[in-house]
Amino acid sequence: MDTKNKLTPTYTPSNFRKQQSKLLKQVANNNSPIRVTLPNKGEGPNQDLFVISAQDYAEYQRLKGDYMQQIDHEIGEMSDAMLHKKTTNAKEVEEWLRED
């Protein structure tokens, strides 16, 4: 199994606390994330936290920025393709809002 298909090791909060120093060094040195599962007693499904390296976090921020730029570009293109009409007539505005 290659590293891309490897499952992320998962720890309970108490297990994470016991091995915290070792696990954080592993994340930092090997760039390998870990998952900590927090139980939600009676409040729904468990919550998961992922601990990732600074390198992975920087990549995540870059990808997130690229994605948001792409969305802004696509919305801008859609908006430019629409027919725009400016009006100060309250009746026309009201009719336009009711169209949906």
Side-chain angles (χ1 to χ4, degrees):
M1 181 185 289
D2 62 20
T3 56
K4 289 181 181 178
N5 294 327
K6 234 174 159 180
L7 294 176
T8 304
T10 304
Y11 299 89
T12 61
S14 58
N15 225 3
F16 176 74
R17 274 191 299 277
K18 289 176 190 174
Q19 302 179 48
Q20 184 175 351
S21 179
K22 179 186 102 180
L23 292 173
L24 293 176
K25 285 179 186 175
Q26 174 185 321
V27 170
N29 295 336
N30 302 334
N31 197 31
S32 56
I34 60 172
R35 182 168 96 186
V36 180
T37 299
L38 302 175
N40 272 343
K41 296 178 182 165
E43 297 177 13
N46 292 344
Q47 290 181 317
D48 288 330
L49 302 173
F50 285 86
V51 180
I52 61 173
S53 68
Q55 177 184 353
D56 280 352
Y57 182 72
E59 177 71 5
Y60 161 75
Q61 289 291 359
R62 186 189 66 74
L63 290 171
K64 183 179 167 186
D66 291 349
Y67 180 71
M68 295 307 291
Q69 282 182 339
Q70 180 66 30
I71 288 173
D72 285 345
H73 176 73
E74 289 176 14
I75 290 173
E77 284 183 343
M78 292 164 122
S79 176
D80 291 344
M82 291 179 182
L83 193 56
H84 294 88
K85 178 181 176 183
K86 294 183 180 182
T87 183
T88 55
N89 183 335
K91 201 170 200 170
E92 285 183 11
V93 172
E94 189 175 325
E95 286 173 12
W96 178 78
L97 289 172
R98 288 187 183 164
E99 285 179 7
D100 291 337

